[in-house]
Amino acid sequence: YLVSAISGKKIESNEPPRTALQGLWYWFRCLYSLAILVFCFAVTLVALFDGKTTMWKGVPAWLAMIIFFILMSVVGMLEGMQIAFFAVAKLAPAERGDSKFQKMTCQLLFKGDGKNLPGFMIGRQLMVVSCMFFIARVTSVSIPEGGSNIFDVPDGVQEFFNTGLLGALITTIVASIAWQLVASAFPLAFLANPITYIFLRICLGFEASGICHGAWVLAAIQKKAWGFQRDEVYIGTAEERAKMNKGDDTAQPHVGVGHIAKLPNFAQNAPQSLKDLLEKDPSVGAYINSIYDDLESGKN
């Protein structure tokens, strides 16, 4: 919701509006999840600045905190890239955006026989694991011998803190799910980000190192054993699917050259600026429909 408000784009959903009870239950879950997240951050940061984590002794707490948030952002970006790449993988090239970095990213990602997409997945995992080495040092609570518990909680609660579950919850929400939700709603915006292209290059570099090339061998064995084939074999390419949708259907209203699609179908394919105008002024939609009626009835 925050990203949607900042970007000025509404979140579109096919679900019916929530009832009052459903809305109350939804926001209750959001608020208590947020409260738990804030508590996890409080415990982790207090432990970090009190020297009660597994962070290396030579790293100042303030520097460790800065690197911690930077690396969580890196991991989150990689998680979002994964979602965005798969969201546009089945789109025709013309639908993948027209900005400089959208084109550069897609050309690199989907060039040739398409092996750069799974290659990115391998490199992405290596990059995430590398970041997690440091993040785990910050989020792992460890009380020194003779040290006091965090917030002076009972020993049983402190033992729970020591499990690392609080840190896992932080990374799951802040460095993973939040970014995935944003990327699923705005995949093209992720492609337009120059950092996406830079990270893609870095991930492909990690994959080219060959450290995890055994994954290709195991994937090939599974493909051979189970007879896996690419999706295009079953559903066709984006271009082929677009062509299939262009056939005439006499059961449908008159559309195409010489015919205007009556609202709401016209509005669904209209430019965003016209969609915004239709929302602000319903009379515009009525006027377009009147033009449609006049043309179909043969009026000038």
Side-chain angles (χ1 to χ4, degrees):
Y1 283 98
L2 179 60
V3 175
S4 175
I6 294 174
S7 64
K9 296 182 179 180
K10 294 182 178 180
I11 298 177
E12 298 181 2
S13 174
N14 294 326
E15 296 181 359
R18 300 187 188 93
T19 64
L21 186 59
Q22 288 173 334
L24 182 63
W25 173 237
Y26 172 80
W27 285 110
F28 169 75
R29 289 181 296 164
C30 289
L31 290 175
Y32 93 75
S33 176
L34 183 61
I36 292 174
L37 179 62
V38 170
F39 177 74
C40 291
F41 266 117
V43 172
T44 300
L45 295 179
V46 166
L48 176 63
F49 280 90
D50 286 349
K52 297 175 181 177
T53 67
T54 56
M55 176 54 58
W56 299 286
K57 298 299 182 183
V59 181
W62 63 268
L63 180 59
M65 183 185 69
I66 293 174
I67 298 176
F68 169 62
F69 282 105
I70 291 175
L71 291 182
M72 282 208 301
S73 298
V74 170
V75 173
M77 190 72 186
L78 293 169
E79 294 286 343
M81 287 168 60
Q82 174 182 248
I83 298 299
F85 288 168
F86 278 101
V88 302
K90 304 305 179 186
L91 297 180
E95 299 175 321
R96 293 171 180 164
D98 53 7
S99 74
K100 176 183 177 181
F101 283 101
Q102 284 172 331
K103 291 180 178 179
M104 290 174 61
T105 300
C106 289
Q107 286 171 359
L108 177 60
L109 190 63
F110 302 114
K111 74 175 184 179
D113 55 2
K115 286 190 176 180
N116 276 356
L117 178 56
F120 158 76
M121 296 297 296
I122 294 175
R124 183 204 77 88
Q125 196 62 40
L126 282 170
M127 198 169 173
V128 168
V129 169
S130 300
C131 293
M132 284 301 179
F133 275 122
F134 188 93
I135 292 175
R137 285 279 178 175
V138 175
T139 58
S140 298
V141 178
S142 178
I143 303 296
E145 186 69 28
S148 61
N149 293 342
I150 299 172
F151 298 140
D152 294 324
V153 298
D155 290 341
V157 177
Q158 184 59 55
E159 287 296 324
F160 173 72
F161 291 168
N162 295 346
T163 62
L165 183 60
L166 303 186
L169 190 61
I170 290 175
T171 54
T172 299
I173 296 176
V174 179
S176 182
I177 297 177
W179 293 80
Q180 291 177 2
L181 292 175
V182 173
S184 65
F186 309 107
L188 294 181
F190 256 77
L191 295 183
N193 190 333
I195 298 177
T196 297
Y197 181 77
I198 295 172
F199 279 8
L200 174 59
R201 282 286 186 185
I202 295 174
C203 289
L204 292 177
F206 271 112
E207 188 275 335
S209 68
I211 296 176
C212 289
H213 269 202
W216 290 105
V217 177
L218 295 177
I221 293 174
Q222 292 186 53
K223 177 183 177 182
K224 187 69 175 179
W226 300 103
F228 293 147
Q229 298 191 69
R230 292 180 177 271
D231 290 346
E232 286 76 10
V233 175
Y234 304 102
I235 63 176
T237 64
E239 292 80 2
E240 291 171 345
R241 294 196 301 274
K243 288 180 180 179
M244 287 189 291
N245 290 335
K246 290 182 179 179
D248 292 334
D249 186 350
T250 56
Q252 299 296 323
H254 297 293
V255 295
V257 179
H259 299 279
I260 297 178
K262 195 170 184 178
L263 291 173
N265 292 334
F266 173 83
Q268 292 174 352
N269 299 316
Q272 186 60 45
S273 57
L274 182 54
K275 291 181 180 179
D276 294 339
L277 180 60
L278 290 170
E279 287 186 6
K280 294 179 181 178
D281 190 353
S283 64
V284 176
Y287 175 71
I288 294 175
N289 281 336
S290 68
I291 296 176
Y292 171 89
D293 293 334
D294 290 343
L295 288 174
E296 291 303 310
S297 63
K299 295 180 181 179
N300 293 326

